[in-house]
Amino acid sequence: MIPPDTAGPAWSPYLVGAAIGVLSWLTFYVSDKPIGASSFYAQVAGLLGKLIAPRRTGTLTYFKDNPPRIGWEFVFVAAIVLGSVIAAVTGGEFTNEWLPPMWVARFGDSIALRAAVAFGGGLLMAIGARLAGGCTSGHGISGTLQLSVGSWIAVICFFLGGIAVAIPLFKL
Amino acid sequence: MIAPEKAYLPQAAPPAPPVAVAAQLVAGAVFGLAFGFLLQKGGVGKYPVLIGQLQLQDWTVAKVMLSAIAVGMVGLFTLHHFGQVNLHIKPTRLGANIIGGLVFGAGFALVGYCPGTAAAALGQGNWDALFGIAGLIAGSWLFAELSGWTKRTVETWGDLGKVQLPDLLRVPRTVFVVVFAVALIIVLGLIHRFAPR
């Protein structure tokens, strides 16, 4: 039997994509917001910063331009986790695992190694997203569907950068 | 929903309150719930699916994204035509889009989840997403530390403003949307033909 997380999508990816497209109409129409994810992490960083080092946080340009607060984007991303729990549990795809089998097959079963690589990757991903102005959701879906030139450039670069690292990572 | 008289006139936003109005937050939660549900059902919270796309061996991510773009674009521009929605176009900054994009991609390959799908991966019980999420939060702080410098340098390189593909090609937007929707469907058809996964 195929382990749950090596299986492909449970539903047709075209159907899921079309539904995400419809969801984007609704977020624009009801909330006047595009779908996006990466700013959530910046809001969390800013809120933690306000607790730990309020004066330092207040001096940083990004947080001056984007005051950290619990807003629509914050709730949206927090709710993604719950939506995914519902989908996984009802679909019998809840994995409950620390390491993806594909990672273990290539890099072994050290959680510390996975933690270090994923943390470092997350660091790069956040810096890249903030510099580029968005992530695979904000640029990759919302920006591209609004035909923003910068979003198309950014998403092409997301995949070029990703391909340039992922292929050697698993082949060398 | 926006008042018609506000549809086209950009207005100075009032200072944002620390906690947005409750109704807005409830809507955000409902939409986030739906988005997380769909990401999980689309298989894009799964490490092998995301890495498989970056290895050009599993085209699920492209199928989901291009379908979302095609459907989203047609509906959004229809709503916009009738003054029902505002667009939220991010400025094109070539230096920041390209450099930030490549750095993001490298990080994406290392984590195996992107910012949205990391939340979906966590929800479906892939606990390693927590390390990526911790990195995303720390990296956001690190960027904020650098943001005074990036704003004066990288973000000024090739700043073209809020430009859209039809402006670049000098074609009417409606014509572009129709032609582009057809092109996206053709591309999806080709991916479907040559990439069963």
Side-chain angles (χ1 to χ4, degrees), chain A:
Chain A
M1 190 190 141
I2 302 166
D5 81 344
T6 55
W11 288 2
S12 156
Y14 308 108
L15 177 71
V16 167
I20 291 172
V22 172
L23 185 66
S24 80
W25 308 346
L26 294 173
T27 65
F28 272 95
Y29 182 72
V30 176
S31 299
D32 194 21
K33 295 274 187 189
I35 288 174
S38 63
S39 58
F40 165 82
Y41 300 97
Q43 288 173 346
V44 174
L47 291 169
L48 289 175
K50 280 210 301 200
L51 281 176
I52 300 162
R55 284 185 51 195
R56 181 76 192 150
T57 307
T59 63
L60 300 177
T61 305
Y62 178 78
F63 292 129
K64 275 193 232 167
D65 294 345
N66 306 274
R69 66 196 190 101
I70 301 204
W72 189 91
E73 293 84 355
F74 188 98
V75 184
F76 181 80
V77 175
I80 289 176
V81 180
L82 192 57
S84 177
V85 171
I86 295 167
V89 170
T90 57
E93 289 199 306
F94 194 79
T95 58
N96 186 24
E97 66 191 12
W98 278 98
L99 298 171
M102 185 187 185
W103 169 275
V104 174
R106 175 71 179 86
F107 298 104
D109 58 4
S110 161
I111 293 182
L113 178 67
R114 173 65 178 140
V117 172
F119 183 85
L123 217 69
L124 287 178
M125 204 156 59
I127 293 170
R130 290 282 58 80
L131 196 54
C135 64
T136 8
S137 302
H139 272 316
I141 294 173
S142 303
T144 50
L145 73 81
Q146 293 181 83
L147 304 175
S148 161
V149 173
S151 294
W152 278 95
I153 292 171
V155 75
I156 288 167
C157 290
F158 294 163
F159 284 97
L160 288 179
I163 289 163
V165 172
I167 289 183
L169 197 63
F170 279 85
K171 285 234 169 102
L172 293 181

Side-chain angles (χ1 to χ4, degrees), chain A residues 4-11 13-14 16-35 37-38 41-42 44-45 48-49 53 56-57 60-63 65 69-72 75-77 79-88 90-91 93-100 102-103 111 114-115 117-141 144-150 152-155 157-163 165-167 169-171, chain B residues 1-2 16-20 24-25 27-29 31-43 46-49 51 53-57 60-61 63-69 71-73 75-77 79 84-90 92 94 96-116 118-128 130-145 147-148 150-151 154-155 163-166 168 176-177 180 184 188 191-192 197:
Chain A
D5 81 344
T6 55
W11 288 2
Y14 308 108
V16 167
I20 291 172
V22 172
L23 185 66
S24 80
W25 308 346
L26 294 173
T27 65
F28 272 95
Y29 182 72
V30 176
S31 299
D32 194 21
K33 295 274 187 189
I35 288 174
S38 63
Y41 300 97
V44 174
L48 289 175
R56 181 76 192 150
T57 307
L60 300 177
T61 305
Y62 178 78
F63 292 129
D65 294 345
R69 66 196 190 101
I70 301 204
W72 189 91
V75 184
F76 181 80
V77 175
I80 289 176
V81 180
L82 192 57
S84 177
V85 171
I86 295 167
T90 57
E93 289 199 306
F94 194 79
T95 58
N96 186 24
E97 66 191 12
W98 278 98
L99 298 171
M102 185 187 185
W103 169 275
I111 293 182
R114 173 65 178 140
V117 172
F119 183 85
L123 217 69
L124 287 178
M125 204 156 59
I127 293 170
R130 290 282 58 80
L131 196 54
C135 64
T136 8
S137 302
H139 272 316
I141 294 173
T144 50
L145 73 81
Q146 293 181 83
L147 304 175
S148 161
V149 173
W152 278 95
I153 292 171
V155 75
C157 290
F158 294 163
F159 284 97
L160 288 179
I163 289 163
V165 172
I167 289 183
L169 197 63
F170 279 85
K171 285 234 169 102
Chain B
M1 265 163 282
I2 50 171
V19 173
Q24 178 78 336
L25 295 186
F31 293 139
L33 206 73
F35 192 49
F37 187 90
L38 290 168
L39 290 176
Q40 202 286 327
K41 288 296 183 197
K46 295 176 179 176
Y47 184 85
V49 169
I51 292 290
Q53 180 66 69
L54 297 179
Q55 293 174 320
L56 307 178
Q57 288 172 358
T60 304
V61 174
K63 290 172 187 175
V64 169
M65 287 181 71
L66 294 174
S67 304
I69 294 166
V71 171
M73 172 183 72
L76 188 76
F77 283 110
L79 287 167
Q84 297 299 309
V85 290
N86 292 311
L87 296 185
H88 294 274
I89 296 166
K90 292 171 176 173
T92 296
L94 296 177
N97 292 147
I98 293 169
I99 298 168
L102 293 172
V103 170
F104 178 95
F108 180 16
L110 293 175
V111 184
Y113 311 115
C114 62
L122 178 63
Q124 70 184 12
N126 288 84
W127 311 124
D128 58 330
L130 288 168
F131 307 126
I133 289 170
L136 279 162
I137 295 168
S140 298
W141 180 270
L142 211 58
F143 175 81
E145 288 281 349
S147 57
T150 59
K151 197 177 178 182
V154 189
E155 289 172 43
V163 56
Q164 290 171 286
L165 293 173
L168 207 66
F176 185 90
V177 167
F180 201 54
L184 286 171
L188 278 166
I191 294 174
H192 183 73
R197 264 285 285 278

Side-chain angles (χ1 to χ4, degrees), chain B residues 11-22:
Chain B
Q11 297 189 337
V19 173
V21 287

